């Protein structure tokens, strides 16, 4: 369970000014719930995730994980970073086994478990490779394996599939869903892809920007596993798209001056369009 | 191959020059040098000098690598330490280590300790600067990834993440430190007593044995090149490849 209560965070800037990235954000993620966070680029999603992960301590408000205030990184929380963050000096196997090594799991067992994890992201052929010998998508998959292998209570994922091609993304979404259905971990999942968010989540939180706040919350009340063809799913996608477009318009307006408006059909209502760097 | 031919060519010219101009004892001929080599090794003096010098060098080198890496770590981690002692080290780095020899002699006497002392000083500062840079430049995401996987912030973090992450810088530091140590050692030994390459240089000067002087110079050059080329450069290249930095360098 993750409880976030009135969390604000600002960054010091050079000339003594400060930039408020998060403004009184509050929400709760229940035990075993899969929650996605959507929002324009720069709205503070990664910032929020880093606070929950325990990487930064300077913020206002309280964050509790399983009832305990967050003291630091680790302790059952595992992060998949926006940029993979693999260690270049270790090969795939040792990268994935690194967390287990810290837990003192003996070599044989941790290699066996790491192998298992690597298999689940379909990279068994590459266990001897070093990160720089892998493609971007492969690195991200190793990072996912590295996180899952630690069998965390709480999985914090920051756009884990953003760098992947459509097929791999699809396979990994399925895998993640399977893993989640099997283990019922608590998941906070950041993405730019509306379809991905709706397909995977129990709840989707849409953030507004400057400063970052929770703008709207959508509970996805469709039968599991969520089907892309389900009209209900499609309905949610459109709703979220609308909410996000408003936000996007705000961002663009702020940048281009106040009389700028996005033409009504400039944002195609293809919900699975990856809003990537665009928003 | 080209290098070998060039060396042979150089030696032939040198021998010819010696015969034609006949410049006397102030610079030896190749034959005399070769003879000195042979004699030196046959009576064990040269070999003994090499061993003695290498021993001092290795002791100082190991001390300065450990000390330098440790200092660099402290500079990188503690702002206060960096702004105070770190600044001093930058200044100290500009002092040729031989400048400390008078102090060393006063403190330790004209012996091995003095030579080891200035050799260590010669290499430590560079090493600490390299290690500082290496550790400062470790990307935040690696530190965070490590913390999230439970390394904590102590020794485990240092050995398993910081050291390897800083390795490309460290190894460059080691290479430069080795070169600095070599220079400081030879300079120190010129004045120090006992057995060693520098002492041999000095002793040979006293008796005007230029052939042996040249021998020692050649030995120093050869050891320096071999160690750099076959040890440190290999190591550096290996690490660059491992980190995927090699392509970027070319
Ligand atoms: N260390 C920092 N110092 C100053 N400002 C920062 C820092 N980290 C983030 N910010 C600012 O905080 C805001 C939120 O950043 P954050 O990385 O959380 O965005 P995001 O929602 O994850 O964006 P994206 O979807 O592009 O990843 C941005 O405007 C960014 O400029
Ligand atoms: Mg982000």
């Amino acid at each position: 369970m993750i409880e976030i209560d009135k969390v604000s965070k600002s960054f010091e800037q050079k000339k003594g000014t400060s930039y408020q990235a998060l403004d009184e954000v509050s929400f709760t993620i229940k035990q075993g719930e899969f929650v996605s966070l959507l929002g324009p680029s720069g709205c503070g999603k990664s910032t929020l995730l880093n606070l929950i992960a325990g990487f930064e301590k300077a913020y206002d408000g309280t964050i509790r994980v399983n009832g305990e205030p967050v003291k630091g990184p680790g302790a059952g929380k595992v992060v998949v970073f926006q940029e993979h963050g693999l260690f270049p000096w270790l090969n795939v196997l040792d990268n994935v086994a690194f967390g287990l090594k810290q837990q003192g799991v003996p070599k044989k067992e941790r290699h066996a478990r790491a192998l298992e994890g690597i298999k689940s992201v379909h990279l068994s052929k590459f266990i001897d490779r070093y990160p720089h010998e892998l493609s971007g998508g492969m690195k991200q998959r190793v990072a996912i394996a590295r996180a899952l292998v630690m069998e965390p209570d709480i999985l914090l994922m920051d756009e884990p599939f953003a760098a992947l091609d459509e097929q791999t993304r699809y396979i990994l979404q399925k895998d993640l869903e399977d893993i989640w259905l099997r283990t019922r971990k608590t998941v906070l999942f950041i993405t730019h892809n509306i379809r991905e968010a709706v397909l995977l989540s129990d709840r989707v939180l849409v953030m507004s920007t400057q400063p970052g706040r929770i703008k709207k919350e959508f509970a996805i009340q469709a039968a599991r596993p969520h089907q892309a063809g389900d009209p209900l799913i499609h309905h949610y996608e459109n709703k979220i798209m609308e909410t996000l477009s408003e936000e996007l318009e705000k961002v663009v307006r702020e940048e281009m001056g106040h009389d700028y408006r996005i033409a009504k059909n400039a944002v195609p209502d293809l919900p699975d369009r990856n809003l990537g760097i665009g928003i | 191959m080209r290098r070998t031919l060039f060396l042979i060519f150089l030696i032939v010219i040198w021998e010819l020059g010696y015969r034609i101009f006949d410049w006397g004892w102030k610079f030896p001929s190749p034959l005399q040098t070769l003879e000195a080599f042979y004699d030196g090794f046959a009576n064990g003096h040269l070999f003994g000098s090499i061993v003695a010098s290498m021993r001092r060098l290795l002791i100082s080198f190991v001390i300065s690598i450990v000390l330098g890496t440790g200092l660099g770590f402290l500079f990188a981690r503690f702002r206060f330490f960096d702004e105070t002692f770190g600044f001093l080290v930058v200044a100290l780095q500009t002092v040729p280590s031989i400048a400390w020899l008078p102090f060393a002699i006063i403190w330790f006497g004209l012996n091995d300790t003095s030579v080891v002392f200035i050799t260590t000083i010669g290499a430590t500062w560079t090493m600490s600067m390299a290690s500082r840079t290496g550790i400062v430049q470790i990307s935040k995401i690696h530190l965070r990834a490590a913390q999230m996987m439970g390394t904590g912030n102590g020794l485990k973090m240092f050995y398993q993440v910081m050291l390897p992450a800083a390795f490309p810088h460290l190894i460059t530091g080691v290479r430069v430190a080795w070169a600095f140590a070599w220079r400081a050692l030879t300079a120190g030994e010129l004045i120090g007593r006992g057995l060693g390459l520098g002492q041999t240089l000095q002793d040979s000067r006293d008796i005007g044995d230029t052939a042996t002087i040249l021998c020692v110079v050649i030995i120093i050059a050869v050891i320096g090149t071999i160690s750099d080329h076959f040890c440190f450069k290999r190591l550096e290249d290996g690490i660059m490849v491992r980190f995927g930095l090699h392509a970027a360098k070319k």
Side-chain angles (χ1 to χ4, degrees), chain A residues 14 16 40 47 56 75 82 87 106 109 132 167 171 213 253 268 275:
Chain A
K14 282 203 184 93
T47 305
E56 295 216 31
Q82 195 165 356
F87 299 136
E109 188 194 334
H132 74 95
Q167 282 86 354
I171 294 172
R213 294 199 180 107
R253 216 170 32 232
L275 289 169

Side-chain angles (χ1 to χ4, degrees), chain B:
Chain B
M1 194 60 216
R2 213 176 277 167
R3 284 183 201 159
T4 323
L5 282 179
F6 174 71
L7 280 182
I8 292 173
F9 173 73
L10 206 63
I11 291 171
V12 169
I13 294 280
W14 173 18
E15 179 71 38
L16 281 178
Y18 183 77
R19 296 205 175 167
I20 294 168
F21 298 108
D22 195 18
W23 57 61
W25 67 275
K26 286 196 174 172
F27 196 79
S29 78
L31 270 180
Q32 290 165 343
T33 313
L34 198 69
E35 223 171 291
F37 246 113
Y38 181 79
D39 288 346
F41 276 105
N43 69 24
H45 183 74
L46 271 182
F47 188 70
S49 307
I50 292 177
V51 171
S53 288
M54 289 308 273
R55 197 182 68 89
R56 292 187 197 107
L57 185 65
L58 282 179
I59 293 174
S60 323
F61 185 63
V62 168
I63 297 176
S64 57
I65 295 301
V66 173
L67 212 65
T69 310
L71 277 176
F73 173 78
L74 294 176
F75 294 151
R77 288 312 295 274
F78 303 105
R79 187 91 166 273
F80 173 77
F81 202 64
D82 193 34
E83 280 166 2
T84 53
F85 200 49
F87 164 76
L88 192 64
V89 165
V90 176
L92 286 174
Q93 207 187 355
T94 63
V95 180
S97 56
I98 194 72
W100 294 104
L101 191 68
F103 268 127
I105 293 173
I106 291 169
W107 294 338
F108 308 113
L110 254 179
N111 53 24
D112 260 19
T113 319
S114 287
V115 177
V116 167
F117 175 75
I118 66 156
T119 310
T120 308
I121 284 206
T124 303
W125 308 139
T126 340
M127 190 60 209
S128 75
M129 282 333 223
S131 138
R132 178 184 175 278
T133 316
I135 289 169
V136 165
Q137 291 202 343
I138 299 175
S139 86
K140 204 172 187 178
I141 196 169
H142 285 149
L143 298 178
R144 286 183 165 179
Q147 287 174 339
M148 126 200 132
M149 287 189 283
T151 54
N153 258 331
L155 271 186
K156 268 186 176 175
M157 174 69 111
F158 182 67
Y159 281 119
Q160 292 187 47
V161 182
M162 292 188 150
L163 273 190
F167 235 90
H169 281 277
L170 288 180
I171 196 70
T172 312
V174 166
R175 242 181 112 179
V176 179
W178 177 262
F180 274 40
W182 231 160
R183 283 168 177 67
L185 177 81
T186 316
E189 282 184 344
L190 280 178
I191 297 162
R193 297 252 167 78
L195 193 62
L197 288 172
Q199 289 92 331
T200 308
L201 279 177
Q202 193 66 351
D203 296 347
S204 307
R205 187 191 64 95
D206 288 344
I207 57 169
D209 182 0
T210 49
T212 306
I213 295 181
L214 192 63
C215 272
V216 173
V217 170
I218 292 172
I219 289 172
I220 291 174
V222 168
I223 295 180
T225 314
I226 289 179
S227 53
D228 190 61
H229 214 77
F230 292 95
C231 187
F232 301 122
K233 187 137 189 330
R234 286 252 168 112
L235 208 61
E236 191 174 9
D237 286 349
I239 283 161
M240 292 300 173
V241 168
R242 161 85 66 101
F243 276 62
L245 292 173
H246 216 63
K249 260 190 127 187
K250 274 185 182 165

